[in-house]
Structures are given as C-alpha cells and as structure tokens.
Amino acid sequence: MKHQKLLYYIQAWYLAFYHVPLFNGSFEAWIHGPVNRTIYDRYKDSKYIYSEMDLADITDLTIVNRLDHHVKLHVDAVLDAYAGFSATQLEVMTHQEQPWVEARKGYAPYERCETVIDNYTMQDYYSARLSS
C-alpha cells in the first residue's frame, strides 16, 4: 500500500508542476486509497496490502539509470516529503484530499470502487496546494 501511495504522490505532484503525467496508467479510488491497477497486478501474487517493498522486488534495477535527471530530482523530492509516513498515514492523507474524495463520491467507506481518479482533478488540486 505504501508503494502505491508514493507512486500516486509522484504522479500527482508531477501533474501539478509540469501539467503532464510522468508515467502512463491511472489510479483508481480503492477503499484504502489510490491504486494503480497495473502495479497492483504485478505484485498481487507476492505481496499483501501492507507488505513492504525492497530492492529484491524490483525486476529491473537499471531503470534508475534510464530516468532523466529532472525526473530523479522530482522522485527524490516526493520521497523526501512522503516516504517517512507509514502506509496507514499515507492512506489517511489521501482520504482527506479532493481527488480521492471526488472519485469515491456516492460510495460507502468500505464499498468496492474502481473509479479512476481524474488526472485533471489531481493536477488542479495539487497545483492549488503549491500556491498556499
């Protein structure tokens, strides 16, 4: 779950700063917060919702070398801001933010939801936080 939330914040803040997504794929408003189904599907057979990720879980360690310098700086900045929080803390944070709340409108707190969190909503919400 923490991995999912960190990826969500990396994408959200990239949208806020650059007005384009950093990577392909969307996030759905699941019960425990934003989830990228592609990433979920990749790890669902080997990880549980609160499992920790480590270097052994990365199938291609050379990916970091292929990232642009500004992308590395962006990822590092987001990790500096959010990686110290637990998975549960990140879940609570996303549950209080407009993109997830808006995507879950009409759903009960523990009702399954696969509604995609809109990139424009993410961009607007996090861009507004830059000015406050």
Side-chain angles (χ1 to χ4, degrees), residues 8-76:
Y8 170 79
Y9 280 122
I10 287 167
Q11 183 80 308
W13 285 110
Y14 201 86
L15 285 162
F17 282 110
Y18 304 107
H19 306 283
V20 294
L22 175 59
F23 52 86
N24 293 330
S26 56
F27 287 86
E28 298 175 3
W30 288 19
I31 292 168
H32 294 286
V35 172
N36 177 291
R37 183 173 294 280
T38 303
I39 299 298
Y40 172 82
D41 287 344
R42 181 175 296 159
Y43 293 103
K44 70 181 180 183
D45 295 330
S46 61
K47 296 289 180 184
Y48 298 100
I49 191 166
Y50 292 104
S51 294
E52 293 293 325
M53 300 285 290
D54 58 34
L55 287 177
D57 296 308
I58 300 171
T59 56
D60 182 3
L61 292 174
T62 66
I63 194 164
V64 173
N65 299 328
R66 295 191 309 264
L67 296 176
D68 291 338
H69 181 68
H70 88 277
V71 170
K72 289 178 189 178
L73 291 175
H74 175 78
V75 170
D76 286 345

Side-chain angles (χ1 to χ4, degrees), residues 7 24 64 68 74 98 100 102 106 116-117:
L7 286 172
N24 293 330
V64 173
D68 291 338
H74 175 78
Q98 179 191 355
W100 185 85
E102 185 177 294
V116 171
I117 299 171

